[in-house]
């Protein structure tokens, strides 16, 4: 169980890194292609990537505490 | 008010704080505070006044309206005390209301009761005075008892009437007592006349209170009385008999004498008649005359005798009568018939005597006639004789023998005399015929007188006789009646006696039955006792015998059992050894845990245990209580757990802040920061009682670490169990492992303890 924490962290960091890099790259591509080499798409992309990674990480860490409910329809 | 006070306090404080630096403020404040203080005092005063007035108003209204008072007392505690102090006790409490009603309804009944009792008392007093004066001691007892009843009832009614609370029911006792007194008066009036006699009799017989004489005295008295009666009777009867006998004798004698006289008179008369009328030769005539004279003499003597006898008889009868009268006076009842008989005898004797006397008298009268006739005839004869003698002086002898001796002259003279005499006689006859009627009348008169006299006498005697007879008849009837009555009484008494005997017989029968049943009961109980005793003895004997037998049998059994149990014990010992060995094997397997490696699976050892203790439920249960994991996979040793814990510790520290609600990455960051900055003891001794502060994860970790260092896995697990949130999730695995280990160890220790115990139990000391 303790390992899981470490594993989570690994996943999380990896995931965040991947997303950030992806975001940066998408930003670079976009900025190169459409936004005349401005920096804002890069930061946007990185921010988005970070944010997504953060969110995923948080969700991953939260997942044990999330409750899933089922709606029961009256028949 | 509180606010006012506070404000006041505040302002005072402000005043203190500000000082006199701000005069306006202060003035304002002072005015405000003084106003406030005077206002406060005013308010206090006003409050007090209102309170007092409200209390006084409630008291006054309670005094006027009792219902309000009760309401107040009910609702407000201690108000009843206050109101009681102020006004006095509550006269209109709900309890006393009923009493008042009762009181109101009571007076009419009470008055009648009192009037009646007073009337009865007056009546009683009026009536009692004359009755008490006349009553004697004995008869006033019932009156006194009635009086006492009356008095007591009157007193009771008075007492009851005095207690005005309770309604007194008009006692039926009073009326009863009144009736009783009335009745008593009536019976008292009736009882007045027999009372004196009774009293006299009472006084004469006994002194002081009347009491029944004892039976012996009564019988003695009765016997004495009877004796007396008998004596009197005997004496009376003796005297009566004597006198009766004597009088009878004399009467008979008299009657005999009378009869004899009668006979004599009759014979004399007859002889006289014969002598007068019969024509017999002269020698027989002289014989006749001699017979006549003897008869006359006899008659005289017999008449005298008869007279004397009559006198004697009369005397005897008189004496008898006197005796009878004396006997009549005696009170003895048995004398009466004797008296009656004697009287009858007397009467009959008197009657006979009188009859005889009358017969004699009639005979005498007849004889007188005949004698008169004879005298006349004799006179005539004498006359004739005289004349004849005067005419013929020489012829003196009997003229019948003279016929041959007489001469013609004499005969002629005689015939002439005879003729003359015949003429004279004819003349006398004619004269006599003329005077016949007068003579007859005179004679008739005389006869009538004599007849009357005789009749009177006869009537007198007859009436006397009839009276006597009637009296005797009456007495006879009386005696008969008395006899009948006595017979009837005797029959009644006999009947009563018979009834009494029947009753006695019944009672005796009943008593006999009762006694018999009692005796039977006693007998039965005694028999039962004896039987039970006997049974007890036999039972005891039997019990003793059975006891001995049982003891011997038990000993035999015991010996057999001992031998068997030895065998069993040996078996048990073997089994216990086996068990112990298997348990030892199991505990050994526990030791085979390497570091970070679990032990061998315990399955085989457990199987061995199960085989060795196939019939031991406890061991089986324990063996089956081992958790599955330990069987399949084995358990971790404590050392490995310890090492794991140490690695876990850092992790737990890092996620100490994370739980269900705090689990964002920011929290994670904070938690990491805390773990980096917070230092706790590596090992802290856990307190005996945990407080809320001790539930901090860091503290718990230090406690657990301490416990682990001191080989107390259980306590460490307990502390670790207190972790919450993410920390708990992190240590979950470790916790389960620790639990497993603990469980297994517990079971194994139990088993080994059990095996040791069994082994100890079965091991035989040499």
């Amino acid at each position: 169980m303790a390992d899981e924490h470490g594993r989570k962290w690994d996943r999380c960091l990896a995931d965040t890194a991947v997303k950030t890099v992806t975001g940066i790259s998408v930003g670079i591509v976009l900025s190169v292609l459409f936004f005349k080499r401005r920096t804002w798409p890069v930061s946007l992309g990185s921010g988005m990537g970070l944010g997504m990674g953060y969110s995923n990480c948080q969700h991953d860490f939260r997942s044990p505490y999330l409750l899933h409910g089922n709606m029961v329809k009256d028949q | 008010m509180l606010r006012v006070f506070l404000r006041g306090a505040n302002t005072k404080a402000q005043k203190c704080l500000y000082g006199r630096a701000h005069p306006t403020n202060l003035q304002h404040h002072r005015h405000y505070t003084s106003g406030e203080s005077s206002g406060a005092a005013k308010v206090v005063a006003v409050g007090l006044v209102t309170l007092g007035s409200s209390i006084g108003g409630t008291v006054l209204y309670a005094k006027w309206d009792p219902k309000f008072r009760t309401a107040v007392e009910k609702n407000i505690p201690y108000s009843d005390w206050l109101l009681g102090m102020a006004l006095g006790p509550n006269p209109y409490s709900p309890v006393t209301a009923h009493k008042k009603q009762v009181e109101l309804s009571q007076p009419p009944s009470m008055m009648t009761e009192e009037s009646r009792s007073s009337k009865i008392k007056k009546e009683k007093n009026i009536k009692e005075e004359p009755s008490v004066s006349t009553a004697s001691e004995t008869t006033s007892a019932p009156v006194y008892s009635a009086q006492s009843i009356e008095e007591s009832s009157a007193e009771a009614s008075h007492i009851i009437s005095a207690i005005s609370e309770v309604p007194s029911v008009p006692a039926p006792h009073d009326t009863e007592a009144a009736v009783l007194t009335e009745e008593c008066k009536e019976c008292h009036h009736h009882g007045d006349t027999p009372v004196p006699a009774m009293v006299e009799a009472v006084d004469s017989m006994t002194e002081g209170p009347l009491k029944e004489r004892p039976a012996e005295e009564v019988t003695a008295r009765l016997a004495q009385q009877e004796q007396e009666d008998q004596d009197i009777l005997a004496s009376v009867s003796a005297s009566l008999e004597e006198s009766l006998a004597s009088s009878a004798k004399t009467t008979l004698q008299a009657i005999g004498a009378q009869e004899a006289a009668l006979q004599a008179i009759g014979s004399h008369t007859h002889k006289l008649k014969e002598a007068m009328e019969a024509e017999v030769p002269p020698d027989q005539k002289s014989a006749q005359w001699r017979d006549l004279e003897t008869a006359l003499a006899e008659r005289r003597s017999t008449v005298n005798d008869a007279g004397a006898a009559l006198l004697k008889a009369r005397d005897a009868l008189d004496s008898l009568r006197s005796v009878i009268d004396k006997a009549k006076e005696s009170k003895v009842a048995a004398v009466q018939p004797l008296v009656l008989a004697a009287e009858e005898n007397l009467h009959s004797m008197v009657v006979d005597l009188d009859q005889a006397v009358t017969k004699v008298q009639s005979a005498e009268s007849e004889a007188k006639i005949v004698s008169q006739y004879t005298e006349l005839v004799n006179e005539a004869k004498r006359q004739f004789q005289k004349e004849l003698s005067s005419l013929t002086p020489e012829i003196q002898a009997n003229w019948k023998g003279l016929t041959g001796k007489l001469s013609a002259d004499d005969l002629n003279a005689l015939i002439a005399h005879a003729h003359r005499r015949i003429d004279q006689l004819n003349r006398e006859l004619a004269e006599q015929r003329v005077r016949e009627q007068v003579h007859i009348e005179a004679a008739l008169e005389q006869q009538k007188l004599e007849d009357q006299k005789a009749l009177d006498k006869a009537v007198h005697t007859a009436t006397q006789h009839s009276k006597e007879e009637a009296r005797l008849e009456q007495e006879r009837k009386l005696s008969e009646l008395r006899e009948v009555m006595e017979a009837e009484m005797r029959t009644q008494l006999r009947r009563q006696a018979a009834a009494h005997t029947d009753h006695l017989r019944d009672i005796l029968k009943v008593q006999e039955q009762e006694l018999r049943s009692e005796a039977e009961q006693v007998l039965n109980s005694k028999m039962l006792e004896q039987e039970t005793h006997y049974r007890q003895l036999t039972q005891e004997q039997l019990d003793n015998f059975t006891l001995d037998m049982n003891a011997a049998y038990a000993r035999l059994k015991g010996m057999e059992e001992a031998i068997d149990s030895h065998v069993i014990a040996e078996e048990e010992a073997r089994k216990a050894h086996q068990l112990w060995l298997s348990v030892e094997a199991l505990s050994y397997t526990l030791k085979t845990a390497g570091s970070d490696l679990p032990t061998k699976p315990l399955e085989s050892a457990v199987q061995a245990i199960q085989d060795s203790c196939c019939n031991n439920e406890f061991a089986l249960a324990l063996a089956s209580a081992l958790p599955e994991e330990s069987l399949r996979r084995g358990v971790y040793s404590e050392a490995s757990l310890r090492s794991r814990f140490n690695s876990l510790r850092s992790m737990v520290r890092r996620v100490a802040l994370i739980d269900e609600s705090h689990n964002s990455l920011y929290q994670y960051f904070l938690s990491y920061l805390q773990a980096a900055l917070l230092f706790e003891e590596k090992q802290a001794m856990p307190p005996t009682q945990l407080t809320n502060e001790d539930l901090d994860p860091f503290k718990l970790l230090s406690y657990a670490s301490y416990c682990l260092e001191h080989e107390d896995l259980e306590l460490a697990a307990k502390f670790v169990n207190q972790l919450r949130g993410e920390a708990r999730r992190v240590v979950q695995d470790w916790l389960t492992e620790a639990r497993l280990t603990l469980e297994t160890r517990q079971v194994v220790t139990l088993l080994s303890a059990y095996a040791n115990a069994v082994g100890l139990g079965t091991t035989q000391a040499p």
Side-chain angles (χ1 to χ4, degrees):
Chain A
M1 275 298 287
D3 296 341
E4 197 185 324
H5 199 78
R7 275 202 290 277
K8 268 187 189 168
W9 269 121
D10 291 344
R11 257 202 322 269
C12 171
L13 283 171
D15 189 44
T16 310
V18 165
K19 284 194 169 63
T20 313
V21 166
T22 312
I24 286 170
S25 58
V26 165
I28 288 168
V29 166
L30 281 176
S31 101
V32 161
L33 287 177
F34 300 112
F35 295 109
K36 300 167 193 151
R37 300 224 178 152
R38 296 254 181 99
T39 47
W40 61 268
V42 178
S43 44
L44 178 71
S46 69
M48 278 170 73
L50 263 174
M52 277 195 287
Y54 185 89
S55 177
N56 267 2
C57 197
Q58 190 166 276
H59 183 79
D60 197 13
F61 274 117
R62 268 190 190 166
S63 54
Y65 299 110
L66 285 175
L67 296 169
H68 297 100
N70 296 317
M71 177 112 77
V72 177
K73 278 198 192 148
D74 293 333
Q75 297 261 319
Chain B
M1 253 214 236
L2 196 62
R3 274 199 297 254
V4 166
F5 277 131
L6 278 173
R7 213 181 296 159
N10 265 341
T11 47
K12 276 218 169 120
Q14 276 178 6
K15 186 172 132 195
C16 286
L17 281 171
Y18 285 135
R20 296 185 185 274
H22 303 268
T24 51
N25 260 352
L26 190 64
Q27 258 188 3
H28 178 68
H29 281 151
R30 201 199 299 152
H31 183 72
Y32 189 67
T33 50
S34 65
E36 271 294 312
S37 62
S38 68
K42 239 192 246 172
V43 164
V44 163
V46 162
L48 281 171
V49 162
T50 44
L51 189 69
S53 61
S54 67
I55 286 169
T58 46
V59 164
L60 279 170
Y61 190 61
K63 188 172 177 183
W64 188 72
D65 187 10
K67 281 189 192 155
F68 173 71
R69 180 177 173 168
T70 48
V72 163
E73 280 178 6
K74 224 178 2 174
N75 289 321
I76 301 171
Y78 297 110
S79 60
D80 57 347
W81 168 77
L82 183 74
L83 287 167
M85 265 200 359
L87 300 174
N90 194 347
Y92 249 63
S93 60
V95 181
T96 53
H98 290 308
K99 280 189 189 168
K100 264 276 165 74
Q101 283 173 10
V102 162
E103 269 182 8
L104 286 167
S105 65
Q106 197 195 24
S109 70
M110 273 305 309
M111 272 167 49
T112 57
E113 177 61 31
E114 283 193 15
S115 67
R116 206 187 312 165
S117 63
S118 64
K119 226 189 330 181
I120 287 167
K121 254 213 140 62
K122 265 189 267 177
E123 275 180 15
K124 178 184 73 178
N125 285 335
I126 288 163
K127 275 192 189 172
E128 281 299 323
E129 276 169 6
S131 61
V132 163
S133 61
T134 56
S136 60
E137 288 263 332
T138 51
T139 49
S140 67
V143 178
Y144 275 152
S145 63
Q147 245 184 348
S148 63
I149 292 168
E150 181 54 48
E151 272 177 356
S152 61
S153 66
E155 273 179 351
S157 63
H158 281 310
I159 288 163
I160 287 165
S161 65
I163 305 167
S164 61
E165 307 273 328
V166 179
S168 68
V169 179
H173 203 52
D174 285 339
T175 51
E176 269 183 24
V179 166
L180 195 69
T181 48
E182 281 174 5
E183 281 179 358
C184 224
K185 310 278 183 301
E186 285 176 358
C187 71
H188 182 70
H189 291 312
H190 287 314
D192 255 337
T193 42
V195 160
M198 203 176 82
V199 168
E200 279 175 346
V202 166
D203 288 340
S204 66
M205 293 258 193
T206 56
E207 286 170 5
L210 280 172
K211 59 174 190 260
E212 203 180 323
R213 288 196 219 97
E216 301 89 31
E217 209 184 316
V218 165
T219 49
R221 258 186 196 279
L222 275 173
Q224 206 184 2
Q225 250 180 352
E226 267 186 42
Q227 201 61 37
E228 281 174 11
D229 290 346
Q230 288 282 359
D231 293 338
I232 287 169
L233 185 73
S235 67
V236 159
S237 61
S239 65
L240 274 174
E241 273 181 26
E242 229 183 85
S243 45
L244 256 176
S246 66
S247 56
K249 206 164 46 174
T250 46
T251 316
L252 277 172
Q253 266 179 7
I255 286 170
Q258 299 282 354
E259 293 269 312
L262 193 73
Q263 280 270 338
I265 290 166
S267 68
H268 174 73
T269 318
H270 185 70
K271 282 209 176 92
L272 201 58
K273 265 197 209 158
E274 268 189 16
M276 281 292 102
E277 289 172 9
E279 293 290 333
V280 292
D283 51 351
Q284 278 187 355
K285 203 137 197 127
S286 60
Q288 227 176 23
W289 283 119
R290 270 202 286 281
D291 281 335
L292 203 65
E293 279 187 17
T294 51
L296 180 66
E298 209 185 300
R299 175 192 154 177
R300 271 207 201 102
S301 67
T302 48
V303 165
N304 287 337
D305 285 338
L310 183 71
L311 281 171
K312 254 201 283 185
R314 283 259 154 85
D315 287 336
L317 285 171
D318 284 336
S319 73
L320 178 65
R321 192 171 285 131
S322 67
V323 164
I324 283 169
D325 287 337
K326 214 169 34 170
K328 263 201 226 169
E329 276 175 22
S330 85
K331 293 185 189 149
V332 178
V335 169
Q336 297 299 336
L338 287 170
V339 162
L340 207 63
E343 271 187 356
E344 278 187 6
N345 282 340
L346 175 72
H347 176 67
S348 60
M349 280 193 278
V350 161
V351 161
D352 290 339
L353 206 60
D354 288 342
Q355 273 180 357
V357 161
T358 46
K359 264 196 242 170
V360 161
Q361 276 178 354
S362 65
E364 272 197 346
S365 64
E366 232 187 80
K368 213 181 347 178
I369 291 168
V370 171
S371 66
Q372 272 182 358
Y373 169 67
T374 51
E375 269 184 32
L376 271 173
V377 165
N378 282 342
E379 184 71 35
K381 268 197 192 152
R382 260 200 306 275
Q383 192 78 26
F384 188 63
Q385 197 80 20
K386 234 187 282 180
E387 288 178 5
L388 210 62
S389 63
S390 68
L391 283 175
T392 56
E394 61 267 16
I395 301 162
Q396 300 289 329
N398 195 358
W399 60 278
K400 281 218 172 133
L402 291 171
T403 44
K405 293 176 190 175
L406 288 173
S407 61
D409 286 332
D410 287 328
L411 279 171
N412 289 334
L414 202 64
I415 288 165
H417 181 73
H419 277 293
R420 260 189 287 170
R421 187 86 181 140
I422 285 166
D423 286 337
Q424 191 196 359
L425 284 172
N426 280 337
R427 259 184 274 138
E428 272 188 9
L429 191 64
E431 246 185 71
Q432 204 60 29
R433 275 210 191 104
V434 165
R435 287 194 197 140
E436 194 184 320
Q437 199 67 28
V438 174
H439 282 163
I440 281 171
E441 277 181 15
L444 275 173
E445 283 288 333
Q446 207 181 7
Q447 192 63 36
K448 235 187 254 176
L449 281 170
E450 279 185 6
D451 277 345
Q452 193 70 31
K453 255 195 267 178
L455 185 75
D456 284 342
K457 206 159 138 204
V459 162
H460 180 68
T461 50
T463 49
Q464 271 201 344
H465 284 164
S466 63
K467 255 194 230 168
E468 194 74 22
E469 264 185 37
R471 194 179 62 80
L472 284 173
E473 181 100 17
Q474 193 187 26
E475 293 222 342
R476 209 183 304 131
K477 282 228 172 75
L478 207 71
S479 74
E480 271 179 23
L481 202 69
R482 200 177 288 132
E483 268 179 35
V484 163
M485 285 294 150
E486 281 220 14
E488 212 175 295
M489 187 143 94
R490 215 171 279 133
T491 49
Q492 295 295 345
L493 282 170
R494 222 179 288 134
R495 225 180 268 163
Q496 212 173 26
H500 183 61
T501 50
D502 280 342
H503 178 63
L504 276 175
R505 204 181 300 140
D506 289 340
I507 284 177
L508 279 171
K509 243 188 247 171
V510 165
Q511 261 190 356
E512 185 195 329
Q513 278 190 355
E514 274 180 20
L515 286 168
R516 189 171 290 151
S517 65
E518 250 186 66
E520 268 187 35
Q521 246 184 353
V522 166
L523 182 72
N524 282 342
S525 66
K526 281 264 153 62
M527 283 280 294
L528 216 69
E529 259 184 57
Q530 289 294 331
E531 259 192 57
T532 48
H533 186 63
Y534 173 71
R535 277 219 194 93
Q536 254 182 2
L537 282 171
T538 48
Q539 198 65 36
E540 264 181 47
Q541 268 186 357
L542 211 68
D543 286 344
N544 285 338
F545 182 66
T546 357
L547 266 168
D548 291 337
M549 282 290 291
N550 283 345
Y553 187 67
R555 280 172 68 191
L556 183 69
K557 272 276 171 218
M559 279 195 284
E560 277 181 9
E561 267 185 33
I563 293 164
D564 285 340
S565 65
H566 265 266
V567 167
I568 288 165
E570 292 281 321
E571 184 73 28
E572 288 292 310
R574 198 180 54 77
K575 276 200 192 143
H577 283 146
Q578 237 179 329
L579 179 69
W580 188 83
L581 281 169
S582 50
V583 166
E584 276 298 302
L586 179 63
S587 59
Y588 186 71
T589 52
L590 274 182
K591 291 191 188 124
T592 58
S595 57
D596 296 336
L597 284 174
T599 60
K600 291 208 192 81
L602 305 174
E603 205 167 346
S604 56
V606 167
Q607 196 60 46
I609 287 171
Q610 278 178 343
D611 292 335
S612 68
C613 63
C614 44
N615 56 353
N616 199 334
E617 276 179 16
F618 185 64
L620 275 173
L622 280 176
S624 54
L626 280 166
E628 279 290 316
E629 276 293 315
S630 70
L631 290 176
R632 269 186 298 108
R633 195 205 56 187
V635 290
Y636 283 97
S637 69
E638 197 173 324
S640 61
L641 284 172
R642 204 185 307 140
S643 56
R644 250 175 85 179
F645 182 73
N646 287 327
S647 60
L648 269 178
R649 193 178 174 162
S650 55
M651 186 97 271
V652 169
R653 286 182 77 247
R654 256 185 263 151
V655 295
L657 276 180
I658 310 298
D659 60 15
E660 292 91 2
S661 48
H662 308 101
N663 54 10
S664 64
L665 276 176
Y666 178 59
Q667 295 289 340
Y668 270 97
F669 169 67
L670 283 176
S671 176
Y672 272 49
L673 191 65
Q674 186 189 44
L677 292 175
L678 206 143
F679 296 101
E680 83 279 3
E681 291 170 4
K682 275 264 159 130
Q683 287 148 24
M685 187 156 130
T688 44
Q689 273 187 332
L690 284 177
T691 58
N692 254 352
E693 291 172 352
D694 295 327
L695 294 179
D696 180 40
F698 298 99
K699 275 228 182 86
L700 283 170
L701 283 171
S702 48
Y703 291 154
S705 170
Y706 179 86
C707 292
L708 274 174
E709 285 303 311
H710 287 84
E711 312 269 336
D712 197 349
L713 183 59
E714 194 184 331
L715 199 54
K718 281 183 192 168
F719 281 126
V720 165
N721 196 27
Q722 298 301 321
L723 289 168
R724 296 273 172 263
E726 185 69 29
R728 190 192 184 95
R729 282 189 59 245
V730 162
V731 298
Q732 196 67 36
D733 274 345
W734 186 89
L735 206 53
T736 47
E737 287 298 322
R739 270 211 199 102
L740 259 175
T741 309
L742 282 167
E743 262 187 65
T744 317
R745 250 205 301 175
Q746 190 181 45
V747 171
V748 166
T749 44
L750 272 172
L751 270 171
S752 67
Y754 179 67
N756 283 334
V758 166
L760 271 175
T762 54
T763 316
Q764 308 260 344

